[in-house]
Amino acid sequence: MERLKLVLQYFQSNSESISNGICIILALVSVKLYTSFDFNCPCLPQYNKLYSLGVMIIPPIILFFLGVLVNRHTGVMMDEWMRPIGNRSKNPAVVKYLFSAMIQRALLAPMVWILVTLLDGKIFICAFSVSVDPALFSGMPNNTGLDVVKIMAKVPCKEDVIFTNSSFRKAVSRYVRCYSQAVGWSILLFLIVLGALGRLIKPCFDDHATSLQTRYWSNYLDVEQKLFDETCVLHARDFARKCVVQFFEDMREDTILHLPHPPFITKSREELEDEEEERLHGITKQEQVNQLLNKWYYSKPNLDVTRIAHRPRTCVTWEDHQGKTLYSDV
């Protein structure tokens, strides 16, 4: 249970971890879909290869676009690429980094589907059983009245009556399955070697400082967008509350009720209203909200927080009637 909590905390730590978790889930879903998918070969020469390649190619395309759709890097990348320059220049390296991260994660589930189909071999047998030379095997049915191509097209259909008490179909299936698994393992080995070489060689040709900067600003864009969305949600909630309360106060008659102060309320009404006003940031009209959102899109602020970081701080010092300092937060 503790390990499960640690895994969940890792995937909830940042958007990159969440994207990794979503990609892993998609990969597991692709395996589950394949194992639950009842593949039935048509066993017809003109349809076997077309149907098999369709099953091998179309689901990976769907999984790829689904991975692109659920990946948060997609939205961040498109926002950064399409936004007007305004007060902030664009960094092509950041867009390239986000695009690369998005593609790598989106390709995981399709590659898992392709590898599982190749290692299983059923689809490969259906597609290429016609291409096998029957002279390599003994026991081919000769008294069926069918030509060789149609007989080879029926190899994936183990329930076909022409293969009753015949080892020919099993021999051909094993032969094609071996090729399928060899291709699958070769692709997996190639991907692993390619990834390892990329990890080893990239630092030799890449500026580490530039890479750190690119990763930092790509993470910054993601965090900035999330904070802006959260701030907009808080502002919208307080704005809606103020609007509703103002509506009800305009409708009611002015009355004065004398009630005892509840002991669990420690803040006065004025303090609560000041907190809400602070969250509204002085934006109290629809036109102001629209103007703020337009300005955020068309003219994002400079990446310089010197003014707010060095804002003067109010310090309080308590003194007695003789001027002696009793307490100071300086």
Side-chain angles (χ1 to χ4, degrees), residues 30-258:
S30 67
V31 175
K32 183 63 177 178
L33 284 175
Y34 181 79
T35 54
S36 61
F37 173 64
D38 188 13
F39 178 77
N40 293 312
C41 185
C43 297
L44 296 172
Q46 62 270 32
Y47 296 118
N48 278 13
K49 186 173 293 187
L50 181 64
Y51 178 70
S52 301
L53 293 179
V55 172
M56 187 176 288
I57 294 175
I58 294 178
I61 294 175
I62 296 174
L63 290 170
F64 172 76
F65 284 106
L66 187 60
V68 171
L69 182 65
V70 300
N71 197 328
R72 182 173 174 83
H73 284 130
T74 305
V76 176
M77 180 197 68
M78 293 304 299
D79 289 343
E80 179 65 14
W81 184 31
M82 299 299 296
R83 71 171 177 84
I85 295 179
N87 295 327
R88 183 189 299 179
S89 61
K90 295 183 181 181
N91 189 349
V94 174
V95 178
K96 182 181 178 181
Y97 176 85
L98 292 172
F99 178 77
S100 176
M102 177 197 69
I103 293 296
Q104 291 176 17
R105 290 177 173 85
L107 283 175
L108 177 61
M111 290 307 303
V112 169
W113 176 276
I114 293 174
L115 289 173
V116 170
T117 57
L118 289 174
L119 295 177
D120 182 59
K122 288 188 296 185
I123 295 177
F124 207 82
I125 293 172
C126 180
F128 297 103
S129 62
V130 180
S131 304
V132 178
D133 184 7
L136 298 174
F137 310 95
S138 60
M140 186 180 73
N142 294 323
N143 56 351
T144 59
L146 301 174
D147 57 15
V148 177
V149 175
K150 290 184 178 180
I151 292 175
M152 299 304 293
K154 291 182 177 293
V155 167
C157 302
K158 59 183 179 180
E159 70 277 359
D160 200 290
V161 293
I162 67 173
F163 296 116
T164 304
N165 300 324
S166 175
S167 61
F168 177 80
R169 190 198 67 81
K170 292 183 179 179
V172 175
S173 298
R174 282 197 302 268
Y175 179 78
V176 181
R177 183 176 283 111
C178 288
Y179 271 99
S180 177
Q181 292 177 349
V183 173
W185 286 115
S186 299
I187 292 176
L188 182 59
L189 177 63
F190 172 76
L191 293 175
I192 293 175
V193 171
L194 183 65
L197 289 177
R199 266 293 181 85
L200 293 174
I201 296 176
K202 184 180 178 181
C204 300
F205 299 95
D206 194 11
D207 186 1
H208 189 61
T210 304
S211 178
L212 286 176
Q213 293 173 9
T214 302
R215 186 169 183 178
Y216 175 88
W217 290 116
S218 64
N219 291 331
Y220 169 83
L221 291 176
D222 183 27
V223 173
E224 181 189 60
Q225 187 60 45
K226 285 197 298 185
L227 289 176
F228 182 78
D229 293 340
E230 292 172 1
T231 305
C232 286
V233 170
L234 291 175
H235 186 278
R237 183 182 292 112
D238 293 331
F239 191 91
R241 183 181 180 281
K242 284 283 186 181
C243 187
V244 172
V245 170
Q246 180 174 277
F247 170 78
F248 278 95
E249 287 184 350
D250 290 342
M251 295 298 294
R252 70 179 177 85
E253 297 179 357
D254 292 333
T255 57
I256 299 176
L257 296 178
H258 298 280

Side-chain angles (χ1 to χ4, degrees), residues 245-297:
V245 170
Q246 180 174 277
F247 170 78
F248 278 95
E249 287 184 350
D250 290 342
M251 295 298 294
R252 70 179 177 85
E253 297 179 357
D254 292 333
T255 57
I256 299 176
L257 296 178
H258 298 280
L259 298 175
H261 189 272
F264 55 86
I265 297 180
T266 59
K267 294 183 179 181
S268 64
R269 179 179 178 182
E270 289 76 11
E271 291 176 338
L272 294 174
E273 289 180 351
D274 290 342
E275 289 183 3
E276 292 175 358
E277 286 294 338
E278 184 178 353
R279 287 198 295 264
L280 287 175
H281 302 286
I283 310 298
T284 57
K285 294 182 180 180
Q286 182 180 6
E287 294 78 8
Q288 292 177 316
V289 174
N290 294 335
Q291 184 180 2
L292 180 141
L293 297 176
N294 287 333
K295 185 176 181 180
W296 176 261
Y297 177 74

